[in-house]
Amino acid sequence: MAGTVPNYVWTDILKVPVVTIPYANYDQHNHAPNENMTKKDFVDGIRISYELADRMFK
């Protein structure tokens, strides 16, 4: 990933696996003055998160 997230807390300290899913459109301009995310990509990210959690915790 281009950015950093504190995944080491999960992997190194808690010793559990971690998955990072970046939800963004291709032209998001991350951390720029014109940073953006389309409503469709935002809603799709919520749906994907729900499906993942629903399947993992059944």
Side-chain angles (χ1 to χ4, degrees), residues 22-41:
Y23 298 122
N25 40 293
Y26 74 95
D27 64 344
Q28 69 172 325
H29 305 296
N30 201 8
H31 305 305
N34 59 347
E35 181 175 7
N36 69 88
M37 183 174 206
T38 64
K39 188 186 304 184
K40 180 188 178 315
D41 287 335

Side-chain angles (χ1 to χ4, degrees), residues 3-54:
T4 58
V5 293
N7 285 342
Y8 74 91
V9 172
W10 305 103
T11 57
D12 297 349
I13 298 171
L14 298 175
K15 305 295 186 203
V16 294
V18 64
V19 174
T20 303
I21 304 172
Y23 298 122
N25 40 293
Y26 74 95
D27 64 344
Q28 69 172 325
H29 305 296
N30 201 8
H31 305 305
N34 59 347
E35 181 175 7
N36 69 88
M37 183 174 206
T38 64
K39 188 186 304 184
K40 180 188 178 315
D41 287 335
F42 182 74
V43 172
D44 285 349
I46 293 169
R47 288 183 177 134
I48 291 167
S49 296
Y50 169 82
E51 290 296 330
L52 180 63
D54 186 54

